[in-house]
Amino acid sequence: MKITVIGGGPGGLYFALLTKKARPDFDIEIFEQNKANDTFGFGVVFSDETLDEFFAADPESYDLIRDQFAYWQDIVVEKGGERTIIGGNGFAGCSRFTLLEILQKRCTQVGVKLNFETAVDIDNLETQFADSDMIIAADGIGSRIREKYADGFERSIENRRNHFTWMGSTKPLDAFTFFFKETPEGHFCAHTYQYEEGRSTWVIECTPEAFENCGFEGMSEEESARYLEGVFGDELAGHGLIINRSIWRQFPRVRCGKWNVGKIAILGDAKASAHWSIGSGTKLAMECAIGLSEAVLENAGDVPAVMAAYEDKRRTPVEIIQHAADVSLRWFENMPRHWKLRRYEFAFSLMSRSKSITWDNVGLRDPEFLARVEDEYYASLPEGAQPNAGKRPTPMFTPFTLRGMTLSNRVVVAPMAQYSAADGMPTDWHMMHYGARGVGGAGLVFTEMTCPAPDARITDHCPGIWNDAQEAAWKDIVDFIHENSGAKVCMQIGHAGRKGSTKHPKHGSDLPKDNDNWPLVSASAIPFKEGVSAVPEALDRVGMDRVKAEFVEATERAARAGFDMVELHGAHGYLIASFLSPLTNTRTDEYGGSAENRARYPVEVFEAMRAAWPSDRPMSVRLSAWDWAEGGISWDDLRVISQAFKDAGVDLINASTGQTVPGQKPVYGRMYQVPFSEFIRHEVGIPTMTVGAITLPEQINMILGAGRADLVALARPHLNDPAFTRMAAAHYGVTDPHWPIQYSTGVGQMLREAEKENDKALETALKLRPARRHYVRAK
């Protein structure tokens, strides 16, 4: 094959090296518009895991680079004069110039042709290289090739809100250090690390407010450097900042839906950018170079097969890294929100920002740091909720109080529709389902959405609480849970609105019943599925009063049934939610338009329920904090709506997302809804509950320990294991005083087995660490 590489960065060089080394008969040539010794930026950083991959791919280049590494185990967080150290993080840094020099040398050794100071004709690329079987576009984050073929690559670019500049310094550093600074102009963070003796990288970012207030827009590189030396004067300790094309930028988040156009394949930052806060730009480029090289070698001569194999190998890993990077960059965009966190809570929030590092993982890396996080968390609890001396239950097994209700732990069984009721009546299935989860150890058990009237249901199979028989059936379930466990029980009350009168989901999602349909109501006369769902009637004042009265009666019945808490379901596109979202509320009266107006009727319903509910029992509201659709609820809307419910006396906001419109496009991922809970908790100052793709006890502890929520709800894990919380307690060595006496003989065995599993996990972690260090430190 004849392969032309445009761009002499790490990705292009590494691809050429690996491919030519494996197939000396291939004709591989690199064209780079800059000089061989030109480079922008200062150092690059790699994790232990990434170094292992480079060692396996080309030990020769690894050996050449190895002696240049600055290696460290610690991450340091400096903020407000406090220096917090987190150990057990294996990273290595080296000069970008040295890395390029070594890769260029290796390419020359294996026979790759290198052309520097040679620009290519982008407009006539395929003509200029007509004899090439493949053209590799590795021309960086500002790729001109990508932009020429933007439609073909299905390219999208989004410039993020923070501004940053890449500088260097002679300041020595003994760890990867985050320097956080609050100035009268705004917030700054310097991401710093030493990459060779006498040289360190300083990537400095600031909020848009700081950028504008400092006047960086009109400054030269030199002027910016001198200004920043003043901001970070204490941290630089007399050392200056060095510039090298250190212009202020906003990070461009690059995505390409396709990675090839004909015989042109795209590689590195040109294809997919990942925010530098997780140190992954060069890593991503070089790992994709490995994947592309493997695809070429496996399918030599068959270019379409090469392209397909390249995407098959690398698409998912790239998207995983990009998602983690997106979450990480948002943490830094929200620096002011995190500023008031306690010392170790702040550091732990920073460490766990991309959600890949959880409670247990930090404990393996640095148990002393985690112990301080835990101690600080316990100390923050109100008097009476703090564990006894020597007890370390972890955050998830600490109590939580709302009004007169105290939960024994922070684990919640999320509301899960069962579609198993008969004429609105709970059945034996409900007694079994809720009873099993009640004795499973969770602090709080939610019912599925329970309806205040027959025409408020989603289907004929949804439960209700509009008559005495239903009230009595629910009372039996609540009494059973109270008598046999320490769990509290919350009834979620909701009205289906425009999503009602549908078939059982087993017959198809959101399909209208074939007959006996009831009239639908909503905030506006907009059907859920155009051409499929019935058009709802927009509620008038009479209808609003009728529905409100139904919610109040259901609330009174829930109180008599003995529920510890009730929740108003204001999420997922149902009736109350239809007033909150601008996608479903197009009213022109006082209940439409601004977020304040859209929240008016939902708050009216809540206040009426609150007045009917015992004052010593708490109430929550569930919100779809984000619609995942253009034109939906904004961050400002969410703040206004949450504040309105707080002012009305809500005790807890249950932050969910989506299901407002059928065309939604959620960005899924582990714990993907947690940022919305965190936003409400810190911006509005109210307890929150989070839910969504949370599957492990260590994730629960991470969420709580980082201050992202007060309660954590899990749905599917509780479907799979009603005793999820009991098993989690055993994992952390916690005994539950509410364990049913009928099951008590199993406690000892469960604790012993959990201890064995923990020992095994620790042993595996300790075996892996020395091997990685050996690669780096061997001489």
Side-chain angles (χ1 to χ4, degrees):
M1 293 185 74
K2 179 176 176 59
I3 302 174
T4 298
V5 180
I6 313 298
L13 289 167
Y14 207 47
F15 164 79
L17 159 63
L18 298 178
T19 310
K20 183 69 174 177
K21 183 179 75 165
R23 290 296 300 266
D25 55 313
F26 281 12
D27 182 357
I28 302 180
E29 191 168 8
I30 295 177
F31 293 85
E32 167 57 50
Q33 65 180 351
N34 295 308
K35 297 177 182 178
N37 59 355
D38 279 350
T39 185
F40 306 106
F42 296 88
V44 293
V45 62
F46 302 112
S47 68
D48 277 346
E49 289 82 359
T50 302
L51 293 175
D52 288 351
E53 292 186 54
F54 295 165
F55 179 83
D58 185 50
E60 294 87 352
S61 62
Y62 179 89
D63 285 340
L64 291 171
I65 298 169
R66 182 180 59 194
D67 291 340
Q68 310 297 325
F69 281 146
Y71 185 80
W72 61 88
Q73 286 282 340
D74 293 341
I75 288 177
V76 172
V77 180
E78 288 207 8
K79 173 178 170 285
E82 295 176 323
R83 177 179 168 90
T84 304
I85 301 172
I86 306 100
N89 305 279
F91 290 99
C94 74
S95 161
R96 181 176 171 85
F97 175 83
T98 300
L99 175 64
L100 292 175
E101 188 178 50
I102 288 170
L103 292 178
Q104 290 168 10
K105 179 179 178 181
R106 282 288 294 139
C107 281
T108 301
Q109 288 174 346
V110 300
V112 174
K113 299 173 189 174
L114 300 174
N115 302 283
F116 293 100
E117 298 181 78
T118 306
V120 300
D121 185 358
I122 299 298
D123 291 331
N124 297 289
L125 193 67
E126 293 179 82
T127 301
Q128 183 179 355
F129 300 108
D131 59 341
S132 294
D133 297 301
M134 287 183 64
I135 299 171
I136 311 301
D139 53 338
I141 200 164
S143 172
R144 292 190 299 144
I145 299 175
R146 180 196 65 225
E147 293 309 293
K148 175 176 173 56
Y149 299 97
D151 291 342
F153 286 122
E154 298 176 5
R155 182 271 291 147
S156 65
I157 298 178
E158 177 192 2
N159 286 324
R160 298 301 302 188
R161 65 188 303 271
N162 275 8
H163 295 257
F164 75 96
T165 179
W166 200 318
M167 297 186 177
S169 179
T170 55
K171 163 73 176 177
L173 296 165
D174 59 358
F176 191 111
T177 305
F178 294 98
F179 293 111
F180 289 94
K181 299 286 286 191
E182 182 180 23
T183 72
E185 292 74 28
H187 294 80
F188 290 82
C189 178
H191 307 238
T192 70
Y193 57 90
Q194 187 163 314
Y195 60 86
E196 63 181 31
E197 188 173 353
R199 286 290 185 272
S200 53
T201 288
W202 288 62
V203 185
I204 300 173
E205 72 173 311
C206 65
T207 60
E209 296 77 15
F211 182 81
E212 181 178 352
N213 292 338
C214 294
F216 288 126
E217 182 71 49
M219 291 188 193
S220 67
E221 292 179 52
E222 189 71 34
E223 289 170 332
S224 290
R226 303 293 80 81
Y227 189 102
L228 290 170
E229 285 172 354
V231 174
F232 292 97
D234 292 340
E235 292 75 15
L236 286 163
H239 294 265
L241 289 170
I242 304 166
I243 57 174
N244 178 9
R245 205 174 172 186
S246 303
I247 58 175
W248 282 101
R249 291 165 283 174
Q250 290 169 280
F251 180 76
R253 190 171 64 178
V254 177
R255 299 284 190 278
C256 287
K258 290 181 62 179
W259 290 358
N260 78 286
V261 173
K263 67 179 183 180
I264 304 173
I266 195 165
L267 179 66
D269 284 343
K271 159 184 63 64
S273 63
H275 193 251
W276 35 265
S277 62
I278 63 170
S280 57
T282 304
K283 159 194 167 68
L284 206 57
M286 293 179 70
E287 288 178 344
C288 284
I290 295 172
L292 179 56
S293 178
E294 289 174 347
V296 168
L297 297 173
E298 292 166 3
N299 301 278
D302 187 347
V303 173
V306 169
M307 301 302 189
Y310 173 38
E311 289 218 29
D312 184 60
K313 289 173 181 288
R314 292 300 304 165
R315 172 67 71 175
T316 297
V318 166
E319 289 182 349
I320 289 172
I321 289 174
Q322 284 190 298
H323 177 72
D326 289 348
V327 177
S328 177
L329 75 84
R330 282 198 295 271
W331 193 96
F332 290 97
E333 288 178 341
N334 294 316
M335 276 190 284
R337 182 188 307 160
H338 305 303
W339 216 261
K340 59 189 174 185
L341 296 179
R342 300 179 297 272
R343 174 183 177 179
Y344 291 103
E345 184 182 38
F346 181 91
F348 183 71
S349 176
L350 172 69
M351 286 294 295
S352 62
R353 65 191 180 279
S354 69
K355 300 181 291 189
S356 57
I357 297 177
T358 60
W359 184 267
D360 291 13
N361 187 273
V362 171
L364 288 172
R365 292 168 183 243
D366 190 341
E368 183 178 344
F369 167 71
L370 190 66
R372 288 176 176 169
V373 175
E374 200 169 354
D375 288 342
E376 185 185 69
Y377 181 87
Y378 297 152
S380 73
L381 299 177
E383 191 174 347
Q386 298 173 358
N388 296 328
K391 297 285 186 180
R392 307 193 69 80
T394 76
M396 68 184 291
F397 291 104
T398 57
F400 182 66
T401 297
L402 292 170
R403 298 201 184 213
M405 179 186 79
T406 296
L407 307 179
S408 61
N409 60 60
R410 308 297 183 104
V411 185
V412 178
V413 177
M416 295 174 279
Q418 299 297 294
Y419 300 109
S420 301
D423 296 323
M425 281 286 292
T427 63
D428 288 347
W429 175 266
H430 292 89
M431 176 63 82
M432 179 281 299
H433 172 72
Y434 292 114
R437 281 140 193 89
V439 300
L444 180 63
V445 177
F446 269 75
T447 69
E448 63 203 278
M449 186 175 88
T450 305
C451 304
D455 62 356
R457 292 175 295 169
I458 307 169
T459 73
D460 289 323
H461 310 278
C462 295
I465 189 165
W466 64 77
N467 62 39
D468 293 345
Q470 293 162 352
E471 179 185 323
W474 281 117
K475 187 177 189 308
D476 287 345
I477 294 171
V478 172
D479 288 348
F480 177 87
I481 294 172
H482 284 163
E483 290 166 8
N484 292 282
S485 77
K488 306 299 183 183
V489 195
C490 176
M491 169 163 278
Q492 184 187 76
I493 305 175
H495 190 301
R498 68 180 191 151
K499 297 174 78 174
S501 196
T502 62
K503 297 178 180 179
H504 192 289
K506 67 184 178 183
H507 300 301
S509 177
D510 302 312
L511 295 179
K513 292 168 56 179
D514 294 328
N515 48 58
D516 297 326
N517 287 280
W518 53 82
L520 303 182
V521 294
S522 189
S524 300
I526 305 170
F528 180 61
K529 287 185 175 179
E530 191 71 41
V532 176
S533 306
V535 178
E537 177 187 353
L539 276 179
D540 59 14
R541 185 67 258 178
V542 173
M544 293 163 75
D545 289 341
R546 174 181 59 81
V547 169
K548 180 168 64 174
E550 291 168 350
F551 271 96
V552 168
E553 183 185 351
T555 303
E556 292 169 341
R557 289 185 179 279
R560 291 196 295 268
F563 282 94
D564 304 285
M565 175 173 162
V566 293
E567 176 170 276
L568 172 62
H569 196 335
H572 301 167
Y574 298 124
L575 179 61
I576 299 300
S578 72
F579 277 86
L580 295 172
S581 173
L583 297 175
T584 50
N585 183 342
T586 57
R587 300 172 73 106
T588 56
D589 61 6
E590 66 270 33
Y591 295 100
S594 67
E596 290 89 347
N597 284 356
R598 300 197 309 271
R600 192 184 303 275
Y601 179 63
V603 169
E604 280 183 18
V605 174
F606 174 84
E607 289 177 330
M609 294 171 66
R610 179 69 266 182
W613 184 245
S615 61
D616 63 334
R617 300 188 212 177
M619 279 187 65
S620 63
V621 62
R622 189 172 208 184
L623 298 178
S624 278
W626 205 251
D627 291 324
W628 302 112
E630 188 175 351
I633 285 176
S634 68
W635 291 109
D636 285 340
D637 288 348
L638 180 58
R639 183 186 291 106
V640 168
I641 292 167
S642 299
Q643 185 67 50
F645 277 106
K646 178 185 178 183
D647 293 343
V650 79
D651 300 290
L652 177 83
I653 292 181
N654 178 357
S656 186
T657 63
Q659 301 180 50
T660 305
V661 292
Q664 66 173 14
K665 295 181 179 178
V667 181
Y668 292 114
R670 57 193 165 196
M671 300 173 276
Y672 73 106
Q673 295 181 146
V674 169
F676 304 101
S677 164
E678 184 177 28
F679 174 87
I680 296 168
R681 188 173 189 266
H682 295 299
E683 293 289 327
V684 181
I686 189 169
T688 61
M689 182 168 80
T690 190
V691 68
I694 301 165
T695 58
L696 300 171
E698 62 195 81
Q699 294 172 341
I700 298 172
N701 274 322
M702 182 267 278
I703 292 166
L704 297 170
R708 297 184 171 109
D710 299 275
L711 296 174
V712 180
L714 301 91
R716 290 176 181 84
H718 279 119
L719 289 181
N720 299 330
D721 183 2
F724 171 91
T725 310
R726 303 246 183 246
M727 298 300 291
H731 173 69
Y732 291 113
V734 176
T735 55
D736 187 342
H738 302 293
W739 191 275
I741 191 169
Q742 296 92 330
Y743 295 164
S744 60
T745 55
V747 175
Q749 182 189 52
M750 186 172 65
L751 290 168
R752 288 193 300 273
E753 292 301 315
E755 188 175 359
K756 289 177 189 175
E757 289 299 315
N758 291 341
D759 288 344
K760 249 193 283 189
L762 179 60
E763 184 181 352
T764 301
L766 293 175
K767 280 181 180 176
L768 288 174
R769 281 185 183 174
R772 292 177 182 144
R773 281 201 290 268
H774 170 75
Y775 292 150
V776 176
R777 292 181 172 173
K779 297 293 183 182

